[in-house]
Amino acid sequence: MAKTIIISNRLPLTIQKKDGTFSYSESAGGLATGLGSIYKTNNMLWVGWPGINLKTDTERIALKIELLKENLFPIFLTDKDIENYYVGFSNKTIWPIYHYFTQYASFHHDLWLSYKKVNRIFCDEIVKLYKPGDIIWVHDYQQLMLSSYLRQKLPQATIGFFQHIPFPSYEVFRSIPWREEILKGYLGADLIGFHTYDDTRHFFSCLKRVLGIENNLGKIEYEQRTIHVDAFPMGIDFEKFNTSASEQDTTAKVLEYKASLGDRKIILSIDRLDYSKGIPQRLMAYESFLEKYPEYHSKIILVQLTVPSRYDVSHYRNLKIEIDELVGRINGKFGKINWMPIHYIFRAIPFTHLSALYAISDVALITPIRDGMNLVSKEYVATRHLNTGVLILSEMTGAAKELVEAIIVNPNDKEALIASLKKALSMSKEEQKKRMTSMRNTIRAYNVHNWLEIFMGRLAYTKELQKEKASKFISSKNNEHILKTYKKAEKRLILLDYDGTLMPFFNNPYDAQPDKELCSILDLLTADDKNQVVIISGRDKNTLTNFMDDFKVDLVAEHGIWYRKGIAEWKLSGQQTESWKKEIMPFLKMYVARTPGTFIEEKDYSLVWHFRKTDSEFGEMRASELMANLNYLTSQMNLQLLEGNKVVEIKDSKVNKGKVADLWLEENYDFVVAIGDDRTDEDMFKILPKWGHSIKVGHQETSAKYCVANYQDVRELLLTFIKSIE
Ligand code: GDG
């Protein structure tokens, strides 16, 4: 039976060895608790580092056997690997950069090499565990290269990737020296998931700016695979928290806590020890609140539960010292014999204690400076089954996008934090119930089971889409049906676009003279008297003549405005006018002046604005603006606006590649093929007879029957035509 292999840095258990036997406890942390509810009940195997270094093979095998009973598979790493890959690259480079703490980031090539080495170790183990039909699900920032390593070894595998932390904006991401490689690491997956739309937006922007990869409504075409990228806001196990508050163990703990904390309002904060969680800022705001509102002295207690984390990174140790000092200072300043304003716990506590804390707290104060999602806020809401309680939530958390009825605050705004505490402590029960009911409905509906189902559904859909597309792809090895008709034919028409189809794109379009290989292909193709080759291009007729004069080909220039059969003179397709140019030209000049790196190409009866040499996002924004500006104007003038590959072109709307292709199709051909990469080539594809062969270069949506990946594949294909006759 096919299984799902979950991969994360750590297994969701903390393992200890005492007197030769192993004992386990559940790990704290978002990924462990989030997925903890699902991996046991489904056919899943969770692969990760067990968090313990065992020296002998006997010990390792013993632990492996134990863990396999729990659907867990350990990957053993050396202390040095952990130091460099996890403590080092993951937590000193990726974590601070991805959370916008650039001042804490360090960049060391050795750590990067170690990170890749460990991702490879994971890859090798997973390849051994993998069986066809299995689903591989990679998690989080410690395994950013793993999907691409797996893809190299298991080209057909179904691979999902989910990132639990934010994806930063391009301006921050670009500071990583290995940014290209890291981005390509993600692209081994079929589905890439983030918590929020903002994360996906930043990811797309980086793909475009760093790798030049475009997305189309969340779809990316990369190495002949369609990849989906989307936001999947992670939920929690709602029922587990909802029912926990009424369970006996929890209620007993609630009574115990109430007895020791007294009849006071409880404010609760729970975080892993992390600078991204905004703990000092929160404590300072609480201090100011107590200064501003002395009437609350003795009436409220802040319970700050901080779970130790990443103690081997110096910033975390310093943070601990800072928190200890702040708690000491505030308790020293305001505390009395019978009241301490902060109740500080620095350790992980069992689940029942945690739910008891959620249950007794009147306010949850959750104020990270940056947080991918934040599950604590959701757990608080799920535990509040009586619909009372107030959630104060930082707008910098992914959860704030869903929990809109919380009091949303900017965690850097101390005054706002103070005001939010005041508002929460004075909120009426009716208001609390209204807000809490609504938040609970959201958390109940978008729970972790639902999250899993949606992610897996989308992954399956992506795979289906890939199969559908793959069936359209042909190559030099898989085109027998076309070759058969080619060989049989007596009179063949071969319609070929030029840029992007026979030649790659160049920054300077005039650099695209045919190279040696293309010259030889065209010579061989046209040496066969049965072949009529037509180069059907958007280029101006002079450039096209210059590029193609040595070949026995017919030519079409300016998307069909000009055509030339054999060595005859160039002819115009119908009546053309260029008087409109003087009205359009000033617009284009204005866009050139405002957009450095762009330029205008003037053809006889069309104008083109090129933006290939400018920043890709900037160029596209300007192109949309230009299109919007020209849209109205051109419709009054029988002109057509074409958005091509990094160009905006304006030409007569009556002419297109399809209409001009008709001039050849009227003759009696018994083999027709049309190959092109551009949107303008679709007109040509649509006009072919049913039995003709239309071939799109690239992965974009098309009406063509077949696809090839790039211009090199086009050349290979043409060579197979030639060879089939020899
Ligand atoms: C990462 C992202 C994203 C805490 N103390 C104890 C304890 N916990 C549990 C909580 C909660 C989890 O740890 C913390 O999850 P968060 O989501 O709040 O934060 P991170 O650990 O930073 O998680 C985060 C998450 O991944 C999921 O994608 O939301 O943005 O940073 O579940 O209950 N559990 C126990 N004892 C404790 O003392 N048993």
Side-chain angles (χ1 to χ4, degrees):
M1 187 180 168
K3 60 186 174 302
T4 300
I5 307 174
I6 295 181
I7 303 120
S8 68
N9 168 56
R10 274 289 291 267
L11 289 176
L13 294 182
T14 303
I15 299 155
Q16 271 162 351
K17 192 176 168 232
K18 226 177 176 184
D19 306 329
T21 54
F22 298 106
S23 64
Y24 317 103
S25 58
E26 284 187 10
S27 296
L31 203 155
T33 45
L35 287 174
S37 309
I38 43 184
Y39 82 93
K40 285 181 197 156
T41 50
N42 295 277
N43 190 22
M44 290 181 169
L45 180 67
W46 191 324
V47 179
W49 177 55
I52 185 168
N53 192 0
L54 299 174
K55 298 275 183 285
T56 66
D57 278 350
T58 326
E59 285 177 311
R60 291 177 177 199
I61 292 167
L63 181 63
K64 209 178 243 184
I65 293 169
E66 286 279 306
L67 289 179
L68 270 173
K69 292 181 202 153
E70 305 284 322
N71 290 7
L72 302 172
F73 185 92
I75 293 191
F76 296 101
L77 299 170
T78 64
D79 289 343
K80 190 152 186 279
D81 284 339
I82 285 297
E83 176 62 28
N84 292 341
Y85 134 85
Y86 178 64
V87 179
F89 196 77
S90 303
N91 288 336
K92 291 184 183 161
T93 307
I94 298 291
W95 180 275
I97 287 288
Y98 277 42
H99 286 85
Y100 296 80
F101 281 80
T102 48
Q103 70 277 26
Y104 289 169
S106 54
F107 304 107
H108 294 292
H109 199 248
D110 286 357
L111 301 186
W112 166 235
L113 293 181
S114 169
Y115 182 85
K116 291 200 286 183
K117 183 189 135 195
V118 173
N119 274 222
R120 287 230 181 259
I121 294 176
F122 270 72
C123 173
D124 294 343
E125 289 295 330
I126 291 150
V127 168
K128 282 186 236 156
L129 294 168
Y130 176 83
K131 299 257 170 338
D134 286 353
I135 295 171
I136 300 176
W137 195 8
V138 182
H139 286 266
D140 227 3
Y141 68 104
Q142 302 92 345
Q143 306 292 344
L144 295 180
M145 298 305 294
L146 180 57
S147 306
S148 67
Y149 295 161
L150 287 167
R151 179 65 58 205
Q152 286 158 12
K153 301 223 166 152
L154 305 168
Q156 304 304 328
T158 301
I159 305 175
F161 173 80
F162 188 80
Q163 182 164 306
H164 293 258
I165 66 173
F167 194 93
S169 94
Y170 166 70
E171 284 307 326
V172 173
F173 182 77
R174 70 192 298 201
S175 57
I176 304 175
W178 312 281
R179 59 205 177 181
E180 288 92 351
E181 241 180 300
I182 291 177
L183 277 179
K184 285 183 188 163
Y186 285 86
L187 299 179
D190 299 302
L191 176 62
I192 301 168
F194 297 99
H195 279 306
T196 69
Y197 166 69
D198 280 339
D199 302 322
T200 60
R201 196 165 60 82
H202 293 315
F203 182 69
F204 286 138
S205 157
C206 288
L207 278 184
K208 184 183 282 183
R209 282 159 172 251
V210 178
L211 298 179
I213 296 176
E214 306 274 346
N215 90 87
N216 176 16
L217 300 174
K219 268 189 291 179
I220 296 166
E221 303 298 341
Y222 182 69
E223 293 186 339
Q224 298 209 29
R225 250 176 335 113
T226 301
I227 301 168
H228 271 118
V229 181
D230 210 341
F232 301 89
M234 188 175 178
I236 58 160
D237 187 343
F238 179 85
E239 281 312 323
K240 180 175 160 192
F241 287 90
N242 187 34
T243 50
S244 69
S246 342
E247 275 161 16
Q248 217 179 1
D249 289 355
T250 316
T251 46
K253 204 72 202 162
V254 164
L255 290 177
E256 187 189 319
Y257 283 158
K258 278 197 170 154
S260 43
L261 294 169
D263 187 18
R264 299 181 168 106
K265 287 209 168 177
I266 306 301
I267 303 163
L268 176 68
S269 292
I270 300 183
D271 321 79
R272 265 186 319 98
L273 177 72
D274 202 301
Y275 46 80
S276 64
K277 304 288 184 182
I279 306 170
Q281 293 85 337
R282 179 191 307 149
L283 293 176
M284 284 187 265
Y286 184 61
E287 181 182 24
S288 301
F289 177 85
L290 292 174
E291 264 160 16
K292 191 168 176 185
Y293 298 107
E295 64 271 29
Y296 280 99
H297 291 194
S298 296
K299 302 217 172 80
I300 57 174
I301 290 182
L302 170 66
V303 177
Q304 172 66 56
L305 169 63
T306 307
V307 184
S309 172
R310 304 178 198 167
Y311 217 62
D312 13 27
V313 180
S314 65
H315 296 303
Y316 288 72
R317 287 196 298 275
N318 295 340
L319 176 67
K320 165 74 170 53
I321 295 170
E322 192 184 354
I323 296 171
D324 286 354
E325 283 177 4
L326 273 167
V327 171
R329 184 175 90 198
I330 298 167
N331 278 346
K333 195 161 153 187
F334 301 102
K336 299 175 192 164
I337 293 296
N338 58 354
W339 175 65
M340 279 298 148
I342 304 175
H343 192 97
Y344 177 46
I345 307 167
F346 183 68
R347 61 173 186 280
I349 57 171
F351 176 73
T352 41
H353 300 203
L354 189 78
S355 11
L357 279 182
Y358 287 138
I360 59 155
S361 297
D362 303 279
V363 178
L365 180 61
I366 316 285
T367 57
I369 303 297
R370 196 66 68 167
D371 214 339
M373 172 51 72
N374 190 286
L375 300 183
V376 170
S377 54
K378 294 189 170 182
E379 293 167 5
Y380 175 67
V381 168
T383 310
R384 307 298 302 179
H385 65 118
L386 298 176
N387 292 320
T388 54
V390 185
L391 174 64
I392 302 175
L393 184 59
S394 159
E395 66 181 57
M396 307 298 178
T397 61
K401 306 270 187 303
E402 292 167 82
L403 299 173
V404 289
E405 294 84 3
I407 301 179
I408 305 286
V409 282
N410 176 349
N412 302 304
D413 185 345
K414 196 173 173 187
E415 294 310 311
L417 283 175
I418 297 169
S420 71
L421 267 175
K422 178 80 177 83
K423 183 171 174 182
L425 291 167
S426 4
M427 191 179 281
S428 69
K429 281 272 179 292
E430 290 79 59
E431 176 76 9
Q432 289 183 24
K433 283 190 174 166
K434 207 170 84 194
R435 289 176 182 241
M436 193 53 85
T437 308
S438 178
M439 289 194 283
R440 283 172 59 76
N441 287 341
T442 307
I443 302 296
R444 185 185 284 113
Y446 297 95
N447 60 47
V448 74
H449 305 288
N450 178 273
W451 174 75
L452 173 76
E453 204 179 304
I454 292 181
F455 188 92
M456 288 302 169
R458 197 72 186 154
L459 185 56
Y461 167 72
T462 308
K463 264 340 230 191
E464 280 307 308
L465 204 75
Q466 285 177 1
K467 271 191 212 142
E468 218 174 88
K469 280 215 164 167
S471 67
K472 266 192 159 194
F473 266 83
I474 51 166
S475 69
S476 51
K477 293 181 196 76
N478 142 35
N479 62 352
E480 297 77 19
H481 44 306
I482 304 182
L483 274 191
K484 219 160 110 189
T485 52
Y486 182 87
K487 276 206 275 198
K488 257 197 356 219
E490 288 302 316
K491 198 165 156 35
R492 311 183 191 104
L493 177 62
I494 301 169
L495 301 165
L496 301 172
D497 169 51
Y498 189 72
D499 298 282
T501 299
L502 295 175
M503 288 294 289
F505 287 101
F506 291 82
N507 270 349
N508 179 354
Y510 301 104
D511 288 343
Q513 285 101 340
D515 54 34
K516 253 193 186 160
E517 186 188 53
L518 178 59
C519 292
S520 137
I521 291 172
L522 288 177
D523 276 336
L524 290 167
L525 210 54
T526 51
D528 186 336
D529 287 341
K530 293 179 179 169
N531 288 347
Q532 176 58 62
V533 177
V534 185
I535 305 294
I536 183 158
S537 161
R539 292 271 184 165
D540 68 89
K541 68 180 191 320
N542 294 337
T543 311
L544 211 55
T545 312
N546 175 17
F547 285 179
M548 289 289 128
D549 226 17
D550 294 341
F551 305 102
K552 261 176 36 194
V553 293
D554 290 352
L555 299 176
V556 170
E558 292 194 38
H559 298 291
I561 288 177
W562 291 103
Y563 68 94
R564 187 181 92 170
K565 288 194 168 182
I567 49 164
E569 289 292 299
W570 281 96
K571 281 193 185 157
L572 268 179
S573 324
Q575 271 249 304
Q576 294 294 331
T577 158
E578 55 165 339
S579 55
W580 55 269
K581 278 190 190 169
K582 61 179 181 302
E583 281 187 59
I584 301 290
M585 191 58 116
F587 271 99
L588 298 191
K589 283 191 174 156
M590 184 174 83
Y591 275 83
V592 170
R594 288 174 61 209
T595 324
T598 64
F599 63 94
I600 300 166
E601 182 189 358
E602 182 169 359
K603 305 184 202 172
D604 293 333
Y605 295 100
S606 41
L607 289 174
V608 192
W609 181 70
H610 287 257
F611 61 92
R612 182 173 302 280
K613 283 197 273 186
T614 194
D615 174 280
S616 55
E617 281 195 350
F618 183 45
E620 258 154 45
M621 188 195 79
R622 282 279 196 265
S624 320
E625 200 185 308
L626 174 65
M627 296 274 288
N629 273 336
L630 290 181
N631 231 331
Y632 178 71
L633 196 67
T634 48
S635 65
Q636 310 287 311
M637 299 160 90
N638 286 332
L639 292 175
Q640 187 189 10
L641 280 178
L642 298 174
E643 220 184 338
N645 196 310
K646 308 281 182 203
V647 295
V648 173
E649 179 148 11
I650 304 108
K651 67 167 206 29
D652 186 329
S653 60
K654 296 190 297 296
V655 182
N656 64 41
K657 284 188 177 181
K659 285 189 184 150
V660 78
D662 240 359
L663 295 175
W664 281 268
L665 287 167
E666 278 166 2
E667 296 171 35
N668 259 344
Y669 288 100
D670 54 359
F671 173 91
V672 181
V673 65
I675 314 181
D677 71 305
D678 201 69
R679 256 179 255 174
T680 58
D681 296 312
E682 295 294 320
D683 294 322
M684 173 165 86
F685 298 152
K686 282 181 197 143
I687 202 109
L688 294 200
K690 272 211 176 81
W691 48 266
H693 308 289
S694 46
I695 304 175
K696 165 88 179 171
V697 185
H699 304 73
Q700 295 83 5
E701 295 303 311
T702 182
S703 58
K705 272 191 206 164
Y706 310 107
C707 295
V708 292
N710 49 39
Y711 80 96
Q712 283 126 328
D713 283 6
V714 176
R715 291 181 181 193
E716 296 253 325
L717 191 70
L718 294 175
L719 279 170
T720 59
F721 287 179
I722 294 159
K723 283 183 194 146
S724 73
I725 301 296
E726 286 169 5

